[in-house]
Amino acid sequence: MKQNYVAWGRVKNCMRELTAYGNARKAEIGADKVFDFSLGSPSAPVPETVWEAMRRALERPDVHEPTPPEGLPALRKAVAEDLNRRYGTGLSTEDILIVTGAAGGLAICCQTLLQPGDEAVVLAPYFTEYRVFIEGAGGTAVEVPPLPDMQPDLDALAAAVTEKTRFVLVNTPNNPSGAILPEESLRRIAEILRAAGERFGRPVYLVSDEPYRELVYDTERIPCVMNAFENTIPCYSFSKSLSLPGERIGYLALSPAAGDRDALLAGLSAAARALGYRSAPSLMQHALVDCVGMTADLSLYRENRDLLYSSLSAMGYDCVRPEGAFYLFVKSPIDDAKAFSDAAKKYELLLVPSDDFGITGWLRLAYCVPTDTIRRALPAFRALAEEYALR
Ligand code: PLP
């Protein structure tokens, strides 16, 4: 059944409400007085090489021409070569589709893989918009609650996969918990989905949302999801790694070994057309041909992770130590995380309650802010900790 977008658009969303509140508060008392940890908008500067590539692209006579729907061949080739170099994936140009950011890629996957009545399994905690993409495609999101350390409960995942399941959606490093999926979990997920595929006589796919792939702090790189399971559709975005969230550029990849590969590729292109994407922004496609594999200076996020995690833990907050992405997940000291988020506002702290992420009782702090904001916010966190007698 088609989604009623008018009714749906009226549904309240904690994050959007908090951002609106924060903007009003900043206008009232000054932006520097509000400690806004609500939005995952990167603050590392865009690399100069990317600026130069954008300037060069602007000189091209064809810069305003739409590219082929699957993307500029030169960019698709550069992406395939970069993935092959880093992960030994064996991809070629035809295996890459350039899309309008991870959101565009995920929406296209959902439209392609789901028919009304179908299910997609999502692992809580998960990015708020997953429900939007899945339900927008007429599907149902089946939630699997996490283990206490925020790693997926793989027995529960196995039980959640049924005849109706078209794909499982994973996100590593994770928004909002910062957790990374270890190699052994990927192996087990692959076993579960291979067995389900054999039972149902069709592939059950793994959609791997990876916009934070380069934001890792304790290891060099995340285990490659695509290498663990042939029926993986990695969904990547340049939003976070190059600090380009407004430019709407990313890609999908598909292994040559994926089940029903050609039909799936045709479906993904058709879904992009049906959603009206036509093709990803030309300027960015031309510019990024020479920038694939590059990142902004991401060291800021490691510094912020260390400062925020150690300071809040010392104050008595119960935090998940983030291994990647730029979010700190903090246990609410009271059951109602929304009420705790409201209490934090008294100290001008904007913390997102976890209800939008498919789990209750937690708060997400986006630490992609200038380090100085964290330093200046620490007395406010301390006062809030004292109010709730955390120590
Ligand atoms: N997936 C996750 C987990 C995200 O956190 C985000 C953005 O914050 C997206 C997807 C969407 O990324 P994009 O801006 O590239 O559409």
Side-chain angles (χ1 to χ4, degrees), residues 28-369:
E28 204 179 324
I29 64 168
D32 60 322
K33 308 269 186 330
V34 180
F35 306 118
D36 187 351
F37 294 95
S38 69
L39 277 187
S41 236
S43 59
V46 174
E48 188 51 38
T49 323
V50 174
W51 280 113
E52 280 164 18
M54 288 175 72
R55 284 185 207 109
R56 272 201 312 278
L58 276 170
E59 300 295 320
R60 296 179 63 99
D62 61 349
V63 69
H64 300 305
E65 295 294 321
T67 69
E70 295 78 15
L72 268 188
L75 180 58
R76 297 168 73 197
K77 182 164 181 277
V79 167
E81 285 173 353
D82 177 58
L83 290 173
N84 294 344
R85 193 169 44 246
R86 283 199 282 167
Y87 301 106
T89 39
L91 297 168
S92 39
T93 305
E94 299 68 44
D95 302 319
I96 307 296
L97 291 183
I98 306 300
V99 294
T100 53
L106 290 167
I108 289 168
C109 285
C110 291
Q111 293 288 336
T112 307
L113 296 173
L114 295 171
Q115 296 297 322
D118 287 345
E119 294 178 354
V121 175
V122 292
L123 307 176
Y126 57 81
F127 178 49
T128 320
E129 298 297 280
Y130 291 169
R131 271 191 176 278
V132 177
F133 305 137
I134 292 167
E135 291 171 11
T140 303
V142 176
E143 285 175 5
V144 174
L147 296 171
D149 63 355
M150 293 298 143
Q151 285 292 335
D153 180 341
L154 298 178
D155 292 332
L157 166 63
V161 173
T162 71
E163 281 283 356
K164 291 187 179 172
T165 309
R166 293 288 144 176
F167 65 90
V168 171
L169 178 44
V170 293
N171 169 220
T172 177
N174 181 270
N175 172 8
S177 74
I180 288 177
L181 272 175
E183 198 108 42
E184 58 273 23
S185 300
L186 291 178
R187 269 199 295 273
R188 173 89 201 283
I189 293 172
E191 278 165 21
I192 294 167
L193 298 191
R194 269 190 211 114
E198 275 170 31
R199 267 199 323 279
F200 309 146
R202 59 166 172 83
V204 178
Y205 293 96
L206 184 61
V207 175
S208 178
D209 183 23
E210 306 177 3
Y212 301 97
R213 196 172 59 205
E214 283 78 23
L215 278 75
V216 289
Y217 305 120
D218 302 324
T219 52
E220 209 178 307
R221 62 177 60 148
I222 60 164
C224 177
V225 182
M226 184 174 209
N227 281 345
F229 183 50
E230 55 290 354
N231 290 332
T232 301
I233 311 177
C235 180
Y236 183 76
S237 161
F238 295 95
S239 295
K240 315 292 177 179
S241 57
L242 289 176
S243 299
L244 297 170
E247 304 299 350
R248 315 311 307 136
I249 182 93
Y251 61 81
L252 296 175
L254 202 54
S255 160
D260 296 340
R261 177 187 173 281
D262 292 347
L264 187 53
L265 266 182
L268 292 167
S269 287
R273 266 173 65 207
L275 287 167
Y277 289 134
R278 179 60 177 87
S279 58
S282 309
L283 168 63
M284 293 317 299
Q285 293 199 56
H286 286 292
L288 290 186
V289 169
D290 296 327
C291 305
V292 176
M294 212 173 265
T295 66
D297 179 358
L298 306 173
S299 58
L300 159 77
Y301 305 131
R302 181 194 303 273
E303 192 183 342
N304 288 357
R305 191 267 317 240
D306 291 345
L307 176 64
L308 195 62
Y309 173 76
S310 60
S311 306
L312 266 57
S313 299
M315 289 176 202
Y317 291 96
D318 182 0
C319 310
V320 179
R321 187 167 187 276
E323 301 171 290
F326 42 45
Y327 304 101
L328 182 69
F329 215 38
V330 180
K331 183 111 189 74
S332 172
I334 53 175
D335 288 347
D336 185 349
K338 176 92 175 58
F340 189 70
S341 165
D342 285 341
K345 285 180 189 161
K346 272 192 301 198
Y347 303 95
E348 310 301 347
L349 290 168
L350 305 188
L351 321 176
V352 181
S354 63
D355 304 55
D356 288 347
F357 305 116
I359 184 172
T360 55
W362 292 78
L363 297 122
R364 188 194 76 173
L365 284 61
Y367 57 78
C368 45
V369 294

